[in-house]
Amino acid sequence: PPLLALLCLGARGAESPESQPDAPPDEPWCPYKVGADGAGARLCFRPPARGFQCSARGCRAHRSAGGALVANVLRNGSVLLQWGLRHWGAPRPSAALRGFALNCSWDGTYTRFPCDSVELGAACRDYLLAEAHGSVRYRLCLQPRYAPPRPAPPAQCVEFRVEPAAMRDIVVAMTAVGGSICVMLVFICLLVAYITENLMSPALAR
């Protein structure tokens, strides 16, 4: 779209901390448009998630085959996507970069359904999927867009499955119950040992 291209023309992208450590600190906003097949979308802005690190306790990282796209699946059901240009072999900085196209789909019982498509500006290096459905296998593909005559490189895709919220709650509840049972068993064992040593031994001696 002309408005998005005008806003993002000549913007120098800030690489995500995980993929490009030499990111310039002067790109405060990421312009993007979300819509089904690009129709009826409006221009929005979001701040980049600089400094994000996927910790093992609350996040699982899934990387594309080429290494350019990373999906950080969080325990709260959201997914933070991060990417860099060096895995596409792009020169840095690239004035011909016009933005990125993100396509999403998920597997149903018998077929694959499309998600909302996203158009991102050239300054964007991450994007947040706020609410992903649990027990659904997602496939997201990201492709850079360049001005002619430079052709667009092939898209890089990542697949992942979000753990359902109900299952997370069940696991937490079972962990809590199991810990309580263990503590109770230890207390019972100590009580039995105390009774055996202090009460039954004198009675047997008499």
Side-chain angles (χ1 to χ4, degrees), residues 9 11 13 18 27-28 41 43 92 107 109 123 132 189 194 206:
L9 180 61
E18 190 172 81
E27 291 289 351
L43 185 64
R92 185 172 52 89
D107 285 330
T109 305
C189 292
Y194 175 80
R206 286 197 297 271

mmCIF file of all heavy atoms in Angstrom, residues 9 11 13 18 27-28 41 43 92 107 109 123 132 189 194 206:
data_model
loop_
_atom_site.group_PDB
_atom_site.id
_atom_site.type_symbol
_atom_site.label_atom_id
_atom_site.label_comp_id
_atom_site.label_asym_id
_atom_site.label_seq_id
_atom_site.Cartn_x
_atom_site.Cartn_y
_atom_site.Cartn_z
ATOM 1 N N LEU A 9 9.640 3.934 3.818
ATOM 2 C CA LEU A 9 10.658 4.120 2.795
ATOM 3 C C LEU A 9 11.969 4.566 3.422
ATOM 4 O O LEU A 9 12.029 5.558 4.135
ATOM 5 C CB LEU A 9 10.188 5.155 1.777
ATOM 6 C CG LEU A 9 11.156 5.463 0.623
ATOM 7 C CD1 LEU A 9 11.405 4.203 -0.197
ATOM 8 C CD2 LEU A 9 10.609 6.582 -0.237
ATOM 9 N N ALA A 11 13.587 3.315 5.801
ATOM 10 C CA ALA A 11 13.759 3.109 7.239
ATOM 11 C C ALA A 11 14.826 2.063 7.473
ATOM 12 O O ALA A 11 14.878 1.046 6.800
ATOM 13 C CB ALA A 11 12.430 2.660 7.860
ATOM 14 N N GLY A 13 16.099 -0.843 9.618
ATOM 15 C CA GLY A 13 15.484 -1.785 10.556
ATOM 16 C C GLY A 13 16.360 -2.010 11.761
ATOM 17 O O GLY A 13 17.574 -2.114 11.675
ATOM 18 N N GLU A 18 17.847 -11.040 19.616
ATOM 19 C CA GLU A 18 18.253 -12.419 19.485
ATOM 20 C C GLU A 18 18.934 -12.671 18.155
ATOM 21 O O GLU A 18 19.771 -13.550 18.015
ATOM 22 C CB GLU A 18 17.021 -13.314 19.627
ATOM 23 C CG GLU A 18 17.344 -14.782 19.746
ATOM 24 C CD GLU A 18 16.114 -15.585 20.080
ATOM 25 O OE1 GLU A 18 15.340 -15.898 19.178
ATOM 26 O OE2 GLU A 18 15.935 -15.885 21.262
ATOM 27 N N GLU A 27 14.784 3.495 16.470
ATOM 28 C CA GLU A 27 13.573 3.094 15.772
ATOM 29 C C GLU A 27 12.505 2.785 16.817
ATOM 30 O O GLU A 27 12.384 1.663 17.291
ATOM 31 C CB GLU A 27 13.831 1.870 14.882
ATOM 32 C CG GLU A 27 14.721 2.160 13.692
ATOM 33 C CD GLU A 27 14.032 3.016 12.644
ATOM 34 O OE1 GLU A 27 12.818 3.239 12.759
ATOM 35 O OE2 GLU A 27 14.709 3.475 11.714
ATOM 36 N N PRO A 28 11.691 3.763 17.234
ATOM 37 C CA PRO A 28 10.788 3.540 18.363
ATOM 38 C C PRO A 28 9.507 2.817 18.005
ATOM 39 O O PRO A 28 8.851 2.270 18.879
ATOM 40 C CB PRO A 28 10.493 4.962 18.839
ATOM 41 C CG PRO A 28 10.614 5.804 17.606
ATOM 42 C CD PRO A 28 11.651 5.145 16.753
ATOM 43 N N ALA A 41 -7.877 -3.405 6.174
ATOM 44 C CA ALA A 41 -6.910 -3.244 7.256
ATOM 45 C C ALA A 41 -6.629 -1.766 7.487
ATOM 46 O O ALA A 41 -6.699 -0.955 6.572
ATOM 47 C CB ALA A 41 -5.617 -3.989 6.919
ATOM 48 N N LEU A 43 -3.859 1.083 9.460
ATOM 49 C CA LEU A 43 -2.474 1.220 9.874
ATOM 50 C C LEU A 43 -2.389 1.370 11.389
ATOM 51 O O LEU A 43 -3.089 2.184 11.984
ATOM 52 C CB LEU A 43 -1.830 2.430 9.186
ATOM 53 C CG LEU A 43 -0.340 2.646 9.435
ATOM 54 C CD1 LEU A 43 0.466 1.493 8.869
ATOM 55 C CD2 LEU A 43 0.111 3.963 8.825
ATOM 56 N N ARG A 92 23.270 -4.870 4.513
ATOM 57 C CA ARG A 92 22.830 -4.050 5.639
ATOM 58 C C ARG A 92 23.606 -2.737 5.648
ATOM 59 O O ARG A 92 24.828 -2.744 5.664
ATOM 60 C CB ARG A 92 23.075 -4.813 6.946
ATOM 61 C CG ARG A 92 22.556 -4.117 8.183
ATOM 62 C CD ARG A 92 22.665 -5.038 9.379
ATOM 63 N NE ARG A 92 24.007 -5.584 9.531
ATOM 64 C CZ ARG A 92 24.975 -4.995 10.226
ATOM 65 N NH1 ARG A 92 24.751 -3.837 10.817
ATOM 66 N NH2 ARG A 92 26.160 -5.532 10.330
ATOM 67 N N ASP A 107 -3.854 -25.716 11.469
ATOM 68 C CA ASP A 107 -4.416 -26.992 11.056
ATOM 69 C C ASP A 107 -5.724 -27.272 11.784
ATOM 70 O O ASP A 107 -5.776 -27.225 13.021
ATOM 71 C CB ASP A 107 -3.428 -28.136 11.336
ATOM 72 C CG ASP A 107 -2.291 -28.156 10.330
ATOM 73 O OD1 ASP A 107 -2.533 -27.732 9.189
ATOM 74 O OD2 ASP A 107 -1.187 -28.582 10.686
ATOM 75 N N THR A 109 -9.248 -30.080 11.724
ATOM 76 C CA THR A 109 -9.390 -31.530 11.746
ATOM 77 C C THR A 109 -9.122 -32.138 10.380
ATOM 78 O O THR A 109 -8.456 -33.170 10.254
ATOM 79 C CB THR A 109 -10.802 -31.902 12.217
ATOM 80 O OG1 THR A 109 -11.049 -31.279 13.488
ATOM 81 C CG2 THR A 109 -10.941 -33.402 12.369
ATOM 82 N N ALA A 123 10.986 -1.150 9.387
ATOM 83 C CA ALA A 123 11.631 -1.017 10.686
ATOM 84 C C ALA A 123 11.279 -2.141 11.648
ATOM 85 O O ALA A 123 11.869 -2.236 12.716
ATOM 86 C CB ALA A 123 11.243 0.325 11.325
ATOM 87 N N ALA A 132 -3.244 -16.921 20.894
ATOM 88 C CA ALA A 132 -3.179 -18.081 20.003
ATOM 89 C C ALA A 132 -3.992 -19.217 20.625
ATOM 90 O O ALA A 132 -3.992 -19.398 21.841
ATOM 91 C CB ALA A 132 -1.727 -18.523 19.794
ATOM 92 N N CYS A 189 5.103 -40.458 58.162
ATOM 93 C CA CYS A 189 6.245 -41.337 58.437
ATOM 94 C C CYS A 189 6.988 -40.897 59.698
ATOM 95 O O CYS A 189 7.386 -41.729 60.530
ATOM 96 C CB CYS A 189 7.188 -41.356 57.233
ATOM 97 S SG CYS A 189 6.504 -42.166 55.772
ATOM 98 N N TYR A 194 8.106 -41.687 65.449
ATOM 99 C CA TYR A 194 8.117 -41.154 66.817
ATOM 100 C C TYR A 194 7.320 -42.048 67.752
ATOM 101 O O TYR A 194 7.746 -42.351 68.881
ATOM 102 C CB TYR A 194 7.541 -39.743 66.820
ATOM 103 C CG TYR A 194 7.402 -39.141 68.193
ATOM 104 C CD1 TYR A 194 8.491 -38.586 68.844
ATOM 105 C CD2 TYR A 194 6.164 -39.163 68.846
ATOM 106 C CE1 TYR A 194 8.364 -38.051 70.119
ATOM 107 C CE2 TYR A 194 6.023 -38.629 70.119
ATOM 108 C CZ TYR A 194 7.126 -38.071 70.751
ATOM 109 O OH TYR A 194 6.988 -37.550 72.013
ATOM 110 N N ARG A 206 8.132 -53.394 79.315
ATOM 111 C CA ARG A 206 7.426 -53.816 80.531
ATOM 112 C C ARG A 206 6.842 -55.226 80.299
ATOM 113 O O ARG A 206 6.752 -56.023 81.213
ATOM 114 C CB ARG A 206 6.322 -52.834 80.846
ATOM 115 C CG ARG A 206 6.858 -51.499 81.402
ATOM 116 C CD ARG A 206 5.737 -50.723 82.087
ATOM 117 N NE ARG A 206 4.671 -50.352 81.152
ATOM 118 C CZ ARG A 206 4.690 -49.215 80.452
ATOM 119 N NH1 ARG A 206 5.691 -48.369 80.571
ATOM 120 N NH2 ARG A 206 3.714 -48.937 79.619
#
